[in-house]
Amino acid sequence: MRRAAVLGGSIAGLLAARVLSDHADEVVVLERDDVAPAGDFGGDREPRPGVPQGTQMHALLDAGRRRIDHWLPGFATELVAAGAALADTGTDVHSFLDGRRKVLTGDIEMVSATRPFLEAHLRRRVLAFDNVRLVNGRVRGLAFTGDRVSGVRYADAADAEDVLTADLVVDATGRASRIGTWLREGGWPEPGMRRMPVDLGYATALFRRPAGPHDATLAQSLANLPDGRLRLGTLGRVEGDRWVVLVAGYADDRPGRGVEEFLLRCKEDPAAPFRQLAEDGEPIGEPVTYRHPDNRRRDFHLLDRFPAGLVAVGDTLASFNPIYGQGMSSATSHASCLATYLESGQSPRDPAWSYFRQARTVVDDAWQTSALNDLKLPHVTGPRPRGFTVASRLSDLIVRASVTDPVIHRRFLDVMHMRSSAKTLMRPGTLLRAAWATRQRDTGRVDAAV
């Protein structure tokens, strides 16, 4: 290709640009936000306006970390050297279910850092490629020539409209993408969008690192309260010798903006690390809230017509419940699908059906992990798929067994870190072992101190 255009300088867009740099003479990343120079990536960066959730806690799952290191060797090491935290599930990633810490099992690593810090490092590395450049502008629409997309219409910083021609356009503008409108304006059908209302609300606060000892570099808590509410929390060490803490709840149990309420929710969490940080830590500023009304996915694979020269990545494809941390790692998976498509030798002058079929597999798996748990919530409406009741009970069995059985917990983590398909947890051998482990625990044969 002579030129490829990426719409959006998000993590998904930057990874797509890195993949395209191996296949195009020139890659142009069109970003609406006026981002800082590539070399400026200190720990006090503010999130981009185009990333409303950029103030919230982010952790890069193991699969995502490995894929980024493949395209940008040494990336995780660079982050850690600059202050981010690398945590291993065998030592300092502690998961809690109703206050009980799960058995540790290792060899899975995740990176804890603020979103602006991580994104700025990624931007610097990607823009270091000679054939990748960033253009500040707002997308106005797609340009069509015959049965293909031939470029993008955009407004520059002075609000003057221009057309950027391209052999391939990648939409990475996120869950609010207007790709359906752009396609309709060009005479093409819109992809159907599925929405699952979840009404999740969460708040994130920064803390100065307390003086006392903290065993966990990252901690995750899921608590079923006696009145039926489900609360979630995550905390981790980040750059700048700080800790970031997220608390979350659904519907009317969403956290507010006040520091006192935030600290109270931490103190009420049955997991010890949250109570300890609430007692020892010093909050930095006010908590920042964010609301995630629904999960979304666009079903490009169901269209019967689609123009050549266009693909979509990241939240444009699917946006999941963020509490499971799948967003950034899903973006790395979409980049892998894009790489496979480009390496296959297929021409961008043909519709990218093979890309969308492969991306659908990635989306289906992440959607299943998120949606199965979301549909268990009493306030979540929407059709339950056939077999939901059985699948829900088996899923609960796996989660309970993962508290005490290291083999089950490892298989559970492989799925949660997007290293294995969710279907692997439904294998007969895994379910039988989970049933045995749960029975052992319920009959008191497992050390209660685990």
Side-chain angles (χ1 to χ4, degrees):
M1 293 179 285
R2 290 168 296 179
R3 179 188 290 156
V6 179
L7 313 184
S10 62
I11 288 174
L14 291 169
L15 291 172
R18 167 60 189 95
V19 169
L20 287 163
S21 70
D22 291 336
H23 301 272
D25 297 335
E26 180 186 23
V27 181
V28 177
V29 179
L30 190 63
E31 168 56 45
R32 74 173 192 174
D33 292 330
D34 186 12
V35 294
D40 178 13
F41 51 89
D44 295 324
R45 292 283 307 279
E46 291 294 322
R48 293 186 294 108
V51 187
Q53 76 278 20
T55 55
Q56 303 300 319
M57 180 172 184
H58 284 70
L60 183 60
L61 303 181
D62 190 77
R65 177 189 63 82
R66 290 171 181 265
R67 291 191 188 98
I68 295 179
D69 270 345
H70 169 73
W71 289 309
L72 302 170
F75 182 75
T77 301
E78 175 186 293
L79 289 179
V80 173
L86 183 67
D88 191 302
T89 56
T91 54
D92 50 1
V93 177
H94 295 179
S95 299
F96 294 83
L97 178 63
D98 295 328
R100 190 177 188 185
R101 195 186 76 180
K102 294 186 177 185
V103 61
L104 298 178
T105 177
D107 193 35
I108 297 178
E109 295 180 327
M110 38 192 322
V111 175
S112 176
T114 64
R115 170 67 178 259
F117 177 87
L118 193 153
E119 190 176 281
H121 274 268
L122 185 61
R123 185 186 308 117
R124 181 183 63 83
R125 287 290 302 270
V126 172
L127 293 181
F129 285 81
D130 292 339
N131 61 338
V132 181
R133 63 186 177 96
L134 185 72
V135 172
N136 186 219
R138 291 178 174 269
V139 180
R140 293 282 177 82
L142 300 174
F144 294 88
T145 301
D147 60 357
R148 67 183 311 273
V149 171
S150 56
V152 55
R153 295 184 291 105
Y154 74 99
D156 62 18
D159 206 34
E161 188 163 312
D162 200 354
V163 176
L164 179 71
T165 61
D167 298 302
L168 181 66
V169 174
V170 179
D171 181 7
T173 55
R175 61 185 271 125
S177 169
R178 300 184 66 244
I179 191 169
T181 300
W182 301 334
L183 287 168
R184 187 177 67 250
E185 290 172 347
W188 296 88
E190 298 182 48
M193 181 186 291
R194 280 186 261 176
R195 297 174 184 257
M196 178 185 291
V198 293
D199 198 11
L200 170 72
Y202 51 99
T204 294
L206 286 168
F207 287 75
R208 289 186 177 88
R209 188 174 185 179
H214 283 260
D215 295 333
T217 299
L218 272 167
Q220 302 161 322
S221 172
L222 188 152
N224 296 279
L225 302 186
D227 59 6
R229 289 176 295 165
L230 178 67
R231 284 190 173 178
L232 309 102
T234 306
L235 64 82
R237 184 170 63 81
V238 296
E239 73 281 358
D241 206 28
R242 300 170 297 176
W243 287 76
V244 62
V245 186
L246 178 148
V247 296
Y250 292 93
D252 294 337
D253 193 41
R254 296 190 303 270
R257 297 176 181 271
V259 173
E260 293 303 319
E261 180 188 346
F262 190 94
L263 292 175
L264 179 61
R265 289 180 81 112
C266 290
K267 292 175 182 177
E268 291 176 344
D269 195 296
F274 293 86
R275 301 196 305 272
Q276 183 181 357
L277 194 65
E279 294 290 344
D280 301 340
E282 178 186 351
I284 303 172
E286 296 287 323
V288 181
T289 58
Y290 181 75
R291 186 176 180 183
H292 177 83
D294 55 24
N295 304 335
R296 302 178 184 181
R297 62 178 295 178
R298 291 180 172 90
D299 291 324
F300 291 92
H301 63 281
L302 296 180
L303 294 172
D304 56 4
R305 292 194 310 122
F306 197 75
L310 178 65
V311 298
V313 296
D315 284 0
T316 302
L317 277 176
S319 171
F320 313 101
N321 186 331
I323 205 69
Y324 302 109
Q326 298 170 307
M328 293 190 295
S329 291
S330 288
T332 69
S333 296
H334 302 162
S336 293
C337 294
L338 180 61
T340 299
Y341 163 68
L342 294 171
E343 290 163 3
S344 70
Q346 297 182 61
S347 171
R349 294 188 174 277
D350 297 321
W353 292 121
S354 64
Y355 165 78
F356 285 113
R357 283 193 296 268
Q358 188 176 5
R360 175 200 174 184
T361 301
V362 173
V363 171
D364 280 350
D365 201 59
W367 186 268
Q368 178 180 343
T369 300
S370 175
L372 179 62
N373 289 289
D374 290 339
L375 285 171
K376 296 176 187 177
L377 300 170
H379 73 279
V380 174
T381 59
R384 269 66 174 172
R386 188 173 62 179
F388 168 76
T389 301
V390 173
S392 178
R393 290 175 179 171
L394 294 178
S395 173
D396 289 342
L397 174 68
I398 294 292
V399 172
R400 293 197 305 273
S402 70
V403 175
T404 56
D405 190 291
V407 174
I408 297 298
H409 191 203
R410 173 53 189 263
R411 294 174 185 174
F412 175 81
L413 288 174
D414 279 339
V415 171
M416 298 308 295
H417 281 262
M418 305 183 75
R419 291 163 49 120
S420 298
S421 168
K423 296 177 182 178
T424 60
L425 294 179
M426 296 296 108
R427 290 173 177 168
T430 298
L431 293 173
L432 287 172
R433 184 181 181 103
W436 177 84
T438 302
R439 180 177 176 81
Q440 293 291 98
R441 188 191 69 181
D442 291 345
T443 55
R445 297 179 186 176
V446 179
D447 185 357
V450 172

